[in-house]
Amino acid sequence: MKVIAVIPARYASTRFPAKLVQDLWGKPVIVRTYEAAVQTQLFEDVFVVTDADEIEAAVQAHGGKVIRSRRTHESGSDRIAEAVADLEADIVVNVQGDEPFIAREPLEALLQAFRDDVDQRIDLGSLRVALSDEADIQNPNVVKVVTDRMGFALYFSRSVIPYPRERVDGLQYWRHIGVYAFRKQALLDFAQWPMQPLEATEKLEQLRYLEFGKRIKMVETTHVGIGIDTPEDLEKARALFARINKI
C-alpha cells in the first residue's frame, strides 16, 4: 500500500493572507508543516500543492517538493485530485498546510484503518474527537458528525446533530477533525462530480462524497490539531514551538 501526503497550500487566505509564508522560528509555516509531515515517517513521499509562486519558492528553498495547481478550485479535494492524477499512490493523506504541529499517532490510526480494510469498504477516512462542551456543540464553526455502529459517517453538519429532542443516557457528540486519507480513485471520482445541494448549503465538501455514495470511515482520536488562522494564532504557534524545542 503506497501512501503519500499532499499539503494543499493557498496563498490568499481570507482571514490571514500569506499566513503560510509567515516566519515560524526561522522557516515559513508551510515549510514547518512539510517537515513535520516528513518526520512522521508514515509517507513514501510528501508534496505541497500550490497555486502561488511565493509558496513554491519557500518550499523549494528548503528542499521540499512542490506541485503547481490551477488557481481556481472549489475545494481542497479538487486541488488534491488534480495534483495526484498522474502520481502512483494507493492512499493519499491530506495534511493541512497551516498545522505545523501535526502528530504521528492519529495519522497512523487513520492509515491502520485502511490496512485492516481487506474488503476495501472504505473510500476515505477521517478523524473524530468526543465533544462535551455545550458551546462547541452549538457552534456552527465546529463541524459535527454522526456515524453508524461500524464508525462510518452518516452525516456531517454545522448544526447540532443529533438534535436533542429528548435527553438520552449515553449519547455522545462528535467533532469532525478535517484530516483525510483517500483511496486515490475516490479523489478522482470526486473531481468529476458536480456540487450537490447538501454540500452547497452546509459548505462542507465531505458531504459530496456521501451524496454520491462513498463510505467515510471515522477514526476516533483525542488529538486536536493547532491551526494557524489568524495573526494571534501565529503568535501562539511561535510560543508553542519555542517550548517544544526549548528555544
Side-chain angles (χ1 to χ4, degrees):
M1 189 173 78
K2 183 172 182 178
V3 182
I4 65 172
V6 176
I7 308 172
R10 292 175 60 247
Y11 187 80
S13 173
T14 303
R15 283 188 286 178
F16 188 6
K19 66 180 181 180
L20 296 183
V21 294
Q22 299 298 311
D23 180 75
L24 182 55
W25 284 97
K27 294 181 181 179
V29 169
I30 186 62
V31 172
R32 292 295 186 192
T33 302
Y34 179 92
E35 292 177 343
V38 171
Q39 288 167 8
T40 66
Q41 299 183 324
L42 293 172
F43 311 114
E44 292 190 40
D45 231 331
V46 179
F47 300 92
V48 171
V49 181
T50 187
D51 56 8
D53 295 339
E54 298 88 342
I55 291 175
E56 179 181 32
V59 174
Q60 290 183 338
H62 292 85
K65 298 180 180 181
V66 177
I67 300 173
R68 289 299 295 255
S69 71
R70 298 192 306 270
R71 291 187 179 274
T72 55
H73 282 288
E74 289 183 345
S75 69
S77 287
D78 288 307
R79 189 181 299 277
I80 295 171
E82 179 197 349
V84 304
D86 297 322
L87 296 179
E88 182 181 343
D90 298 302
I91 306 297
V92 180
V93 176
N94 175 4
V95 175
Q96 299 299 313
D98 61 359
E99 294 203 5
F101 303 103
I102 60 172
R104 176 186 169 94
E105 290 75 18
L107 294 175
E108 196 168 28
L110 196 54
L111 293 175
Q112 188 61 45
F114 284 90
R115 295 188 184 98
D116 295 340
D117 183 32
V118 293
D119 297 326
Q120 296 198 9
R121 299 178 66 221
I122 301 172
D123 295 300
L124 60 154
S126 195
L127 299 173
R128 61 175 177 166
V129 63
L131 265 180
S132 57
D133 184 88
E134 187 64 28
D136 286 339
I137 293 170
Q138 298 289 337
N139 186 347
N141 293 317
V142 176
V143 177
K144 274 71 68 175
V145 60
V146 291
T147 69
D148 65 15
R149 292 179 60 84
M150 299 299 293
F152 286 95
L154 295 171
Y155 193 64
F156 300 85
S157 184
R158 299 181 183 278
S159 298
V160 179
I161 53 171
Y163 178 78
R165 185 174 181 270
E166 294 184 8
R167 295 293 178 181
V168 177
D169 291 340
L171 176 64
Q172 177 64 63
Y173 286 93
W174 295 96
R175 176 179 182 173
H176 176 221
I177 304 298
V179 175
Y180 294 95
F182 309 87
R183 293 198 189 277
K184 180 181 174 181
Q185 190 59 50
L187 272 173
L188 300 182
D189 290 344
F190 179 96
Q192 302 303 311
W193 298 326
M195 185 183 297
Q196 298 297 299
L198 292 178
E199 178 189 0
T201 299
E202 296 254 22
K203 295 295 184 286
L204 298 173
E205 68 184 75
Q206 60 268 40
L207 291 175
R208 192 186 310 185
Y209 289 99
L210 292 183
E211 288 187 86
F212 280 92
K214 295 296 187 183
R215 293 173 62 82
I216 306 176
K217 178 71 170 181
M218 302 302 300
V219 176
E220 184 178 348
T221 183
T222 58
H223 177 80
V224 179
I226 301 173
I228 299 174
D229 293 318
T230 66
E232 292 75 20
D233 291 336
L234 179 59
E235 291 306 316
K236 293 176 183 177
R238 286 170 174 161
L240 177 58
F241 190 90
R243 289 199 302 272
I244 292 174
N245 294 279
K246 296 180 172 59
I247 297 175

